[in-house]
Amino acid sequence: MAGPPPPTGPTHPGTEPIGSYALLGDLHSAALVSARGSVDWLCFPRFDSPACFAALLGGPDDGRWLLAPADEDAELVERGYREDTLTLETVWRTGTGVARVLETMPVGGRRADLVRRVEGVEGTVRMRQELVIRFGYGSDVPWVRRIRDDGSAVDAAFALPAPGPDRKRGVDSGPNAATSASDDGGAQALLAVAGPDALLLRCDPLPVPVDHRHAGQFDVEAGRRRDLVLTWYPSHRPPPEPIYVTAAIDRTDAWWRDWASRCRHDGRYTAPVKRSLLTLRALTHEDTGGIVAAPTTSLPEDLGGVRNWDYRYVWLRDAALTLEALLAHGYLDIADSWRQWLLRAVAGAPEDVQIMYGIGGERRLEEYTVDHLTGYAGSQPVRIGNAAATQLQVDVIGEVMVALHAARCAGLPTDVFSWSMQAALLDHLAGIWDSHDNGIWEIRGDLRRFTHSRIMAWAAFDRGVRAVEDFGRPGHADLWQRTANEIRALVLREGVDPERGNLVQYLGGRTVDAALLQAAQVGFLDWDDPVMLATVQAVEQDLLRDGLVLRYRAETGVDGLAGDEHPFLACSFWLVEHWARTGREKEATVLMDRLVHLATPGLGLLAEEYDPASGLFTGNYPQAFSHLALVRAAEALDSDDGAREAW
């Protein structure tokens, strides 16, 4: 466990830096806990469910659960995950003692729980909690009452929401609502209900209504502990039984450590690789196999700007690249789970394939804004859903085919249904590969013939040919090979800058795009091909900002959006990988060390982008794309093979 995060100034009054948050997860959903002890983001029961705590995108009145020392001068001594787990351990020191807080979301049991345990270490520490439950992204005020542990009511009746501007402040029920749990011996839980959702808080003492929220204090002495458990369940069902907290924590820690122990990586960067793989696993839904891009929505790429997107869905591209990272480190079971998810999600006509789906394979991800939320650091709009789901991004079939080929090479059998789906995707791609599209970065401006999209189309046909020739799968290998050759010739004819000799962002253009670094990753060009080396040089000349890599130059207007953005961490890791594979190990190591040290101390988490000027993360967090790119870069640097073969 590491020390507390380095001090960073607030990005906006009342706003915690994105990098101060820890991720908790149970393989179904996730919570973000600030360094101040506030759960500011929580979606139950799925990653993409409406948040019941949305202070991350607004303020405390939009929902949060604070647990911290009552002493405002308390010192945060240590904060980090227990080794190879997602259990967060935080140590506080006050003038009267030391306390440790353990926080986790138990895995297994088909439940949705958030566990917070306070342990006394030295002396006595007074703790305080503040609970503000607001379902529906802060819009739905629940009815709240106390119940006995058997589910029977303590309060006589519910109270209705306050009218007018105060309705968001909360609802407390019955004439006894302000009494403590001990005032009615059987009362051990606080129940909040709104529509289909119910949240149950079990702790002693229970918080009481204070200024339109529930708050309370308690003391923890050395050698003693207090448990607080928040449980979600469908409101039409009876409350779940209490959990045994010690057993739940031990079982959860054991599960994560067992999973981490299977990681095949040995080298200088083993610790960040393992933490990245744990993060990727935490973003993978246990039941469906869907891998979300991030557990958050609308954390801005440009603070105060409009580049705010909902990433709580399964991008075929991101999931396929995550799959490659997991496959390369021995996790074949997840590959099979995701392949089954893919078969269900894309079932139907190949021309109807989307670039992203819901966690269960849902197709309708209509984008809308939540206008009552002020946004992180005042960044509006806050978006739910993602309009990019209907975009044409030619590259995604390439990423899928590359990942499924890697699964074949790793020993995952290809059944008839999986291969039929892949062959159908290739036949569809044959008719659209040279279309104008939105590209990997999901531009909302004019469609282009993006070079990266053509390269990934080439990769799709190349892997199809390999499946036929190397694995005996039936298919149109001759046609696919001719198409791959045609794409390659087109890219080298129209996708190369005639003066500098590098790949360009779109055919006939002159600007460069960091996505082109993937050309060597998928084998379109050799790592040391002159065009590839020239592309790396163009990235270094045009896209570096304080030594880190931008995706592209936003000021060109290619993406159709206002504002700017910051260096994209995944692209910076791609540059590390290329340097490592072309004899520039010293430069690669320097950049890799810098990137690894950007991760939140004790947590090892990375966002989408990083602002070198402020030293702050931007974009959704934690970001699967950043972590999978870290894993690739570490593999390139830690490889014992002098040739540094790619995956």
Side-chain angles (χ1 to χ4, degrees):
M1 189 168 66
T8 53
T11 58
H12 191 264
T15 299
E16 300 288 338
I18 291 172
S20 76
Y21 284 93
L23 172 75
L24 305 178
D26 62 1
L27 310 179
H28 292 259
S29 185
L32 291 185
V33 189
S34 78
R36 299 179 186 272
S38 181
V39 180
D40 287 344
W41 182 254
L42 175 61
C43 301
F44 269 146
R46 297 201 327 180
F47 296 103
D48 57 354
S49 298
C52 55
F53 298 146
L56 180 70
L57 300 178
D61 285 344
D62 297 302
R64 71 164 183 174
W65 185 17
L66 174 70
L67 178 65
D71 182 357
E72 294 185 358
D73 295 324
E75 176 191 359
L76 176 57
V77 179
E78 290 183 293
R79 182 172 184 252
Y81 291 119
R82 285 181 164 182
E83 184 176 3
D84 293 343
T85 76
L86 253 70
T87 296
L88 181 65
E89 188 171 318
T90 306
V91 177
W92 295 96
R93 182 186 301 277
T94 72
T96 59
V98 177
R100 177 186 299 111
V101 180
L102 301 178
E103 299 169 279
T104 194
M105 293 175 69
V107 298
R110 320 305 303 173
R111 295 173 58 109
D113 298 300
L114 174 55
V115 172
R116 311 181 87 175
R117 166 171 281 182
V118 185
E119 300 176 338
V121 178
E122 297 176 11
T124 299
V125 176
R126 174 154 293 184
M127 301 291 293
R128 68 185 179 102
Q129 70 164 315
E130 180 180 279
L131 180 66
V132 184
I133 298 173
R134 299 291 183 267
F135 295 109
Y137 304 106
S139 66
D140 299 342
V141 181
W143 287 351
V144 182
R145 60 173 173 168
R146 293 185 299 122
I147 64 171
R148 297 182 177 88
D149 208 36
D150 62 4
S152 61
V154 173
D155 301 317
F158 285 114
L160 292 174
D166 289 335
R167 76 173 297 274
K168 196 175 181 180
R169 290 189 172 183
V171 184
D172 306 304
S173 61
N176 299 320
T179 62
S180 71
S182 60
D183 290 337
D184 192 315
Q188 297 184 15
L190 194 70
L191 175 63
V193 174
D197 298 300
L199 277 177
L200 189 67
L201 174 65
R202 287 185 168 103
C203 62
D204 184 17
L206 287 172
V208 298
V210 177
D211 191 23
H212 308 289
R213 59 197 65 207
H214 284 76
Q217 298 187 358
F218 58 87
D219 292 336
V220 60
E221 301 84 13
R224 305 294 297 274
R225 65 192 183 203
R226 300 283 188 125
D227 293 332
L228 302 86
V229 181
L230 188 69
T231 302
W232 176 92
Y233 66 97
S235 61
H236 65 277
R237 294 181 180 173
E241 292 293 319
I243 65 171
Y244 293 95
V245 173
T246 298
I249 293 174
D250 290 346
R251 182 182 67 249
T252 298
D253 285 356
W255 190 94
W256 284 111
R257 285 174 177 145
D258 177 70
W259 192 88
S261 71
R262 296 158 51 196
C263 172
R264 296 201 306 246
H265 188 95
D266 184 20
R268 176 177 178 181
Y269 299 104
T270 296
V273 164
K274 192 174 287 188
R275 177 51 58 188
S276 289
L277 292 173
L278 284 165
T279 303
L280 294 173
R281 183 64 184 96
L283 299 179
T284 305
H285 196 275
E286 179 180 32
D287 293 339
T288 70
I291 305 170
V292 298
T296 56
T297 179
S298 301
L299 290 180
E301 298 168 8
D302 181 23
L303 294 182
V306 299
R307 297 168 181 261
N308 318 319
W309 318 109
D310 193 346
Y311 276 19
R312 299 171 300 150
Y313 305 113
V314 186
W315 271 254
L316 296 188
R317 175 192 309 108
D318 297 43
L321 294 171
T322 298
L323 183 66
E324 289 185 73
L326 292 168
L327 277 170
H329 292 82
Y331 295 103
L332 198 62
D333 55 333
I334 295 183
D336 186 47
S337 179
W338 181 77
R339 187 177 67 177
Q340 295 304 317
W341 174 90
L342 178 67
L343 286 169
R344 296 190 302 270
V346 305
E351 59 267 23
D352 294 331
V353 169
Q354 298 181 182
I355 62 101
M356 76 174 83
Y357 296 86
I359 295 165
E362 299 88 351
R363 300 188 177 207
R364 301 191 63 169
L365 308 178
E366 286 89 348
E367 182 176 300
Y368 64 94
T369 62
V370 180
D371 297 332
H372 67 266
L373 291 175
T374 57
Y376 179 87
S379 305
Q380 291 182 311
V382 171
R383 291 183 171 93
I384 306 301
N386 200 307
T390 61
Q391 288 185 352
L392 175 62
Q393 298 175 23
V394 171
D395 66 292
V396 296
I397 295 177
E399 278 101 0
V400 168
M401 291 298 297
V402 169
L404 293 177
H405 180 74
R408 279 192 293 272
C409 293
L412 185 67
T414 303
D415 60 42
V416 62
F417 298 107
S418 172
W419 176 248
S420 296
M421 177 269 294
Q422 294 173 60
L425 289 177
L426 289 176
D427 289 342
H428 172 58
L429 183 61
I432 66 166
W433 66 263
D434 199 26
S435 301
H436 291 64
D437 74 328
N438 300 89
I440 182 175
W441 305 130
E442 302 178 352
I443 65 158
R444 300 200 175 194
D446 294 337
L447 304 187
R448 310 271 185 169
R449 296 168 72 201
F450 285 104
T451 304
H452 173 267
S453 295
R454 297 339 90 191
I455 290 172
M456 296 310 300
W458 173 91
F461 291 113
D462 175 75
R463 293 337 186 252
V465 171
R466 292 196 208 180
V468 173
E469 295 181 350
D470 299 343
F471 292 89
R473 307 311 303 176
H476 307 118
D478 290 344
L479 172 62
W480 295 340
Q481 186 62 66
R482 288 197 300 272
T483 306
N485 293 341
E486 182 182 355
I487 296 171
R488 181 181 178 84
L490 174 67
V491 168
L492 295 180
R493 183 176 64 252
E494 298 184 28
V496 176
D497 188 308
E499 296 180 2
R500 295 199 293 178
N502 60 276
L503 294 169
V504 293
Q505 187 174 34
Y506 49 86
L507 302 189
R510 289 296 183 93
T511 55
V512 70
D513 189 320
L516 298 168
L517 294 173
Q518 290 192 298
Q521 293 178 2
V522 300
F524 182 83
L525 294 173
D526 292 336
W527 296 95
D528 58 356
D529 184 284
V531 174
M532 195 69 239
L533 295 177
T535 301
V536 172
Q537 185 177 35
V539 168
E540 294 167 352
Q541 291 173 346
D542 297 358
L543 299 183
L544 287 187
R545 179 179 292 174
D546 193 24
L548 302 177
V549 183
L550 298 165
R551 293 188 290 183
Y552 52 85
R553 285 288 178 180
E555 63 266 27
T556 65
V558 67
D559 59 17
L561 295 168
D564 197 6
E565 58 174 46
H566 303 290
F568 199 79
L569 294 178
C571 297
S572 300
F573 284 116
W574 291 346
L575 185 59
V576 169
E577 181 180 4
H578 199 282
W579 283 349
R581 297 193 187 280
T582 53
R584 299 171 66 178
E585 287 89 350
K586 184 175 181 180
E587 294 165 279
T589 300
V590 170
L591 180 53
M592 182 70 173
D593 288 347
R594 179 184 179 189
L595 290 167
V596 166
H597 283 93
L598 293 180
T600 306
L603 305 177
L605 301 178
L606 296 167
E608 184 176 31
E609 298 182 1
Y610 176 77
D611 177 10
S614 66
L616 297 171
F617 282 145
T618 61
N620 283 305
Y621 170 92
Q623 175 83 347
F625 216 39
S626 298
H627 283 281
L628 66 89
L630 180 154
V631 173
R632 286 195 64 108
E635 190 69 21
L637 281 166
D638 283 343
S639 173
D640 291 330
D641 184 353
R644 299 189 182 277
E645 291 294 331
W647 294 351

